[in-house]
Structure formats: C-alpha cells, structure tokens
Amino acid sequence: MTDEGLENAEPSSPNDQYVVVARRYRPQSFEELVGQHQVAQALKNAIERGRVGHAYLFTGARGVGKTSSARILAKALNCQRGPTATPCNECDICRSVTIGEDVDVLEIDGASNRGIEEIRQLRSNVNIRPSRARFKVYIIDEVHMFTKEAFNALLKTLEEPPEHVKFIFCTTDPEKIPITVLSRCQRFDFGGIRMDEIVSRLAYIVENEGVKAEPEALRLLARKANGSMRDSQSLLEQLLAFGGKEITVPDVNQMLGAAGSEQIAVIMSGLAARDAAGVLAQFDHALTRGIDPGQLIEQLLGFFRDMMTLAVGADASLLQTVLPADAENIAAVARNYGLANVMAAVQILDDALVRMQRSAHARILAEMALVRVCQLEDLQSVADLVETIRSGKPLPARPAIQVIAGAPAVMHAAAVPTSQAPAAVASRPVESSVDHASASSATPEMGSSGPAVAVASPTSVAESAPERAAEARESSGGIALTDSTAKNIWEGILSDMSDLVGEYARPYKSVATSGPNRLVVSFSAAYNTQVEFLKRPAAKTRLERMLTEAVGDTVVLEFRVLDDVPVATKQEPPKKSAPSTGQMIRKVQQNQLVQQALEMFGAEVTSVRAPESGDS
Ligand SMILES: [Zn+2]
C-alpha cells in the first residue's frame, strides 16, 4: 500500500478499516505525541539548537510512544526541509520514514537480530554514508534482547560513531542494558500515558471514523490499556472491526469479558458485608455469563484501589474505576470499611491476580481471594482503638459497615442489616480491655472486664509520665552525678516508673560512676534476663533520657551482671495479693485484639494497670 493510499483510501470493509486505523493515527509530529510532552519538548529543543546526540535510549512500557518518537526524530533530522523540529511529512524522505521504508532510516527488531553476526553486519554498514539523507538513523527496538557479544560489538561503534550516524535504542527493560552502553546514550524515560489523554485521543479517533461512542465506553478501554496508547488503539480497532456505528459500555464489557458495573456493585456489597457465600454465588453467576475471572478480580482490585485513594483524601481526579461524580459516596463507603481493610483487600486481590496468571486453576484462586477478603479481620476497629487510646478519649461507638447499593454510576451507601455487620468492638468478648496508662480514669465500659493495658509504640514510650516528672526536676536545677549522688538519682527515677522497665530495674545491686556522667548499674547474676531486657534500646534510651534530665547533662548508662552465685529462688513478686506486672503483661498479650494492635503498630506492652476499684 502506498502512502497516498493511506491518506486517501476509504475503507471498503470493516476489516480494511481494522487494519489501517493503527497506522493512520500514529503520531507524525512531536505535537501529536500523546502524553509525552516533556520528552517531545526536549527532543525539539535538541534539534532547534543543533545539539542532537549520537545515541538515544528511549525507555518505557509498551505502547507509550517510543518507536513513534524515534520515527519523528528521524524525520526531524532528515526532512528535506530540515533539520527541523516540525518535519513536513510531505517530502519523499518524511513519507518513506512514515511507512518504514526509508533507505537511510533502518528499523531493527532487537529480539530477532540479537546475535553477534547481525551486529557485525550493522557495523560494516555503519561506515557507508547515507544514500540521500543527512543521517543514517538506526532505530533498534527491544535492544535489551541483544546478547552480551552483540552489545560488546555495538559498543565499539558507540565509542567512535561516524558523524553521519544516529542510534535510537528503544527498550521496555533498561535494566538489562550494560552500563557501558547506557553511559553513551542520552536517556529519555517515557511514562505511562494518563487515562484522560488516552480517552481524548480515542474520542478523536472515533469521531474521525464517523462512529459514536459512549464516554464511559472509552474510559473502560483506556483503563484496560493501563497507560498504553497502542493497547487502547488496538482494543478500539477490535470494536471498530465489528462495524457498528456506536460503541457502548456493554459492547466494551463483552469484548473484554468484563462484568458490568451493576454486577461489580453487587459483589462489592457482598464483600463489604463479609457475606462469603453470597459473593461466591454472584461470582459463579458472573462466570456463567461469560465473564473472565481474572478480569473480574482486576475490576474489583481497581475498585478497592479507588476506595484507598478516597480514604486517604486524594483528589477525585486520581480515580480510575469510580466515576468522579460518585467519589463522595465511595469515600463514605471507604471510610466505613476502613483504610486498613481496603489496603488488605488490595493486597489479597493483587496477589491472587499474579498467581492466577501462572495457574491452571484461576477460578479457584479467585474464589479463595474473595473469601479471604470477606474474612478480613476488622483491622480498622483495632486501628481506631489504638488511635483513641493515644488521644485519651473514650471509644466511639463503631458505625455499622455500609455497603454499596446500586450500580457504581448511581452509587449510594446504605447501612446493612445489623445481623450482617461485624460485632462492634465494645461488645467483643475480650478478656481485658485497653486503656491509656495516663488517663485519669477508665471509662465504665472499658474498665469493667479486667486489667487495663497501655499499648505504646516505640516512639510514644518516651512520652510517658515519668519523663515529665524528670523534666520538672531538671527545671529545678539538676543534680550533679557523683558516686555519692548516684544512688539517690537512680532510686528517684525508679520511683517514678510503674511499668516493666521499672520492675526489672528495681532489683539492682549497686550503682557507681565510671567516669563523668557515666552511670554503671550492677545486678546479681540471678537477674540476667532482666538486664537483657533493660539493655534493649527502647528501655536503655528511655532510662538514659530520664537520667539526663535529672542530672541536667547527658548521662551514659551501662548495665553489668555480677559474677556472683545465682540465687535459687525466683524473684519475689512486688505484691503478694496481686499478679506481678510481668504476669499481667503475659496475660493481656494473649488477648487477640491486643495481639493485633501490637502487630499492626509494631508496639509492645510496657505496662498493665489494674482497673480502679469501684469501676463497674
Ligand atoms: Zn519532510
């Protein structure tokens, strides 16, 4: 087919149209390059200033415009009316480059010409001057497929390139290119193309083709193409090949094997209600209607991803699956479902998708993922709980999880029947409740069922009450650390501590200084375990800070275990009538809710406080 044919031929059948659309809408100038404005501007500047390098590396995912840019650059260099940043696309050279048949612009597929022989041949041709244009331009696609020997041979040419030669390497995988080659190329990274840019390009194409398209149908195509202009165009071409005069959402869903928004909404509401049986039934229903399990999981993943962006307060323009008009409703759903749950669901669905691609049992993996999402622990309730503990406020009543009713296009949040909602935190059967150690009094429902426990993350350990006491001491001057004051200072700090660190530090045997502001605390060999605990950074740093504040100067703390005979009897508990702090900590650590909180926040239990007597 001639170039003229491309420009003027009216497609005689849908099949012809299918073939030519991709070529017809390939960008022919830097201005037409969709979604790569920075790259286009940089290349234009290089041409206008006469500073075009010998070798370029274009990197980026497939279908984002690398080869198109390479051809435009070749035309810009060789156009009979150039070199120019705006090649004419009319001269013989421009037109032959456009159809990939120019004698001086050679396109080489790196995947099928990857060996040393091909590169040797290339090298011998490199020295031959261009037959009619200014430059000989080698466009090498998928250059990362070259063998090591091929790269080495290429390197010799790159080290001393003839004046008349330009190389443009394109790759989806720059990591595989030797650094010696990379260092001799000007590198341009092509990003994925934004969805709205793909949509507007598709809209332009369908309008030119005399076909109508629902905007949402084009959005679905663009979303599926995931940043690749070429993929979006080939999907569009498949739709155009059907020969219809209008492209609708059901057309697109049918072609992609995708579920409709109503179906997605029904499954999402089942997941939010943790109704695993209902979700599996809906999933089966979708599959019997020809929907692809991987496609469906991908759609759900996209939905959860949008919930995540809304839950963290991102702008609605970042939405990919949910329509911006529905953002407010989805945000409410996301808040009720909880960010922790949303992120866990994203993880589960993504893992499933990866494994489904390698498995012959995609359906089973998809079903497992759906059930796992339904069975997610109520992570957000734990997060809320700890947040409340930190702020010292009483726990709010947890709102019922809300579900989505209706299609995403008309999404509304509605409360589920309470029988479907998970138990609220306060009514969970927990052995002990969680409270803040420094709260003035436990709230009635919190103090009713057992000892209270302070859950402190490493950062908040340093902010508890004893430090404030030490600060107060410091403001009254501080006491110089000497052998004679050491014991008083150490005892003073211990008297402020009511947690495990204090309990473990109290049975010390002696204190002394080993230099200016260096305090050595010695323990009998029987307390080796306790000393190991105290040596941990969280405990030691905290004690050092308190000492520093008491003394008014930086104090370094050192623990020593004496080489004495270990005592046979165990340490006496501090109170005979009550369990020791260690016992209480061990007990609350067995609580499932506490375990979740510890795991989620990388925290540790530092103290346990018995409920105030009289609380009920
Ligand atoms: Zn030209």
Side-chain angles (χ1 to χ4, degrees), residues 231-439:
D231 286 358
S232 76
Q233 285 186 4
S234 62
L235 289 170
L236 179 63
E237 282 164 6
Q238 289 177 46
L239 285 168
L240 291 173
F242 290 131
K245 283 291 157 197
E246 183 166 12
I247 295 172
T248 65
V249 170
D251 290 341
V252 176
N253 280 335
Q254 196 189 350
M255 183 186 74
L256 298 177
S261 52
E262 280 175 44
Q263 233 159 354
I264 294 292
V266 169
I267 293 177
M268 280 301 297
S269 69
L271 291 174
R274 296 177 169 82
D275 172 18
V279 167
L280 288 186
Q282 285 297 332
F283 186 67
D284 179 70
H285 180 62
L287 263 49
T288 58
R289 289 174 57 182
I291 288 162
D292 175 66
Q295 179 64 41
L296 186 56
I297 296 295
E298 208 176 306
Q299 287 178 281
L300 293 171
L301 177 62
F303 206 97
F304 274 109
R305 179 265 175 203
D306 277 2
M307 281 172 70
M308 177 186 74
T309 60
L310 291 171
V312 299
D315 191 79
S317 66
L318 291 182
L319 294 176
Q320 291 182 344
T321 302
V322 175
L323 291 176
D326 299 321
E328 213 167 296
N329 287 329
I330 307 294
V333 175
R335 277 193 296 274
N336 284 319
Y337 196 59
L339 180 60
N341 273 328
V342 170
M343 286 173 53
V346 167
Q347 185 74 56
I348 289 169
L349 295 173
D350 182 62
D351 285 351
L353 270 177
V354 171
R355 291 169 61 204
M356 284 166 75
Q357 283 162 5
R358 297 190 306 245
S359 171
H361 307 289
R363 175 180 177 153
I364 298 173
L365 290 171
E367 288 171 333
M368 275 172 55
L370 294 174
V371 172
R372 281 183 65 200
V373 172
C374 286
Q375 296 202 321
L376 277 179
E377 291 292 333
D378 197 357
L379 297 174
Q380 190 62 41
S381 67
V382 180
D384 291 345
L385 192 68
V386 176
E387 203 48 53
T388 307
I389 292 162
R390 282 187 178 148
S391 66
K393 288 179 220 147
L395 279 175
R398 180 157 167 74
I401 295 231
Q402 300 199 332
V403 297
I404 304 140
V410 287
M411 195 71 70
H412 295 292
V416 287
T418 47
S419 62
Q420 284 177 295
V425 173
S427 64
R428 284 197 163 200
V430 289
E431 282 176 24
S432 53
S433 306
V434 181
D435 193 11
H436 195 284
S438 62

Side-chain angles (χ1 to χ4, degrees), residues 78-81 88-96:
N78 281 349
C79 176
Q80 284 170 349
R81 300 175 200 171
C88 72
N89 280 312
E90 288 168 358
C91 68
D92 283 349
I93 290 177
C94 281
R95 285 160 64 156
S96 60

Side-chain angles (χ1 to χ4, degrees), residues 392-601:
K393 288 179 220 147
L395 279 175
R398 180 157 167 74
I401 295 231
Q402 300 199 332
V403 297
I404 304 140
V410 287
M411 195 71 70
H412 295 292
V416 287
T418 47
S419 62
Q420 284 177 295
V425 173
S427 64
R428 284 197 163 200
V430 289
E431 282 176 24
S432 53
S433 306
V434 181
D435 193 11
H436 195 284
S438 62
S440 56
S441 71
T443 53
E445 72 268 24
M446 293 306 301
S448 58
S449 53
V453 50
V455 180
S457 72
T459 48
S460 69
V461 166
E463 300 304 323
S464 55
E467 276 82 347
R468 287 195 289 278
E471 276 165 29
R473 248 199 316 279
E474 190 201 356
S475 66
S476 65
I479 314 155
L481 180 64
T482 64
D483 275 335
S484 54
T485 60
K487 186 162 192 268
N488 277 342
I489 292 170
W490 180 243
E491 292 270 349
I493 283 164
L494 294 186
S495 68
D496 285 334
M497 302 185 78
S498 57
D499 63 2
L500 202 59
V501 175
E503 193 197 332
Y504 280 7
R506 225 160 268 134
Y508 75 99
K509 193 155 189 184
S510 63
V511 288
T513 59
S514 65
N517 290 325
R518 294 187 71 90
L519 184 67
V520 180
V521 182
S522 301
F523 290 78
S524 169
Y527 296 101
N528 193 34
T529 312
Q530 283 85 341
V531 172
E532 286 308 311
F533 176 87
L534 294 172
K535 280 180 176 173
R536 288 163 55 183
K540 184 161 177 277
T541 308
R542 186 165 152 228
L543 287 165
E544 281 178 340
R545 271 186 56 169
M546 293 171 71
L547 285 166
T548 296
E549 279 160 7
V551 172
D553 204 348
T554 306
V555 175
V556 177
L557 183 58
E558 194 185 323
F559 294 110
R560 279 187 197 156
V561 178
L562 300 170
D563 195 15
D564 56 4
V565 183
V567 289
T569 54
K570 280 203 89 182
Q571 178 197 359
E572 197 178 302
K575 289 183 205 166
K576 279 172 185 165
S577 57
S580 74
T581 306
Q583 284 169 332
M584 282 163 69
I585 285 176
R586 276 189 292 280
K587 192 177 178 214
V588 298
Q589 274 175 339
Q590 286 162 7
N591 180 282
Q592 197 192 1
L593 199 59
V594 172
Q595 282 173 3
Q596 286 174 347
L598 298 180
E599 197 173 309
M600 173 178 290
F601 295 96

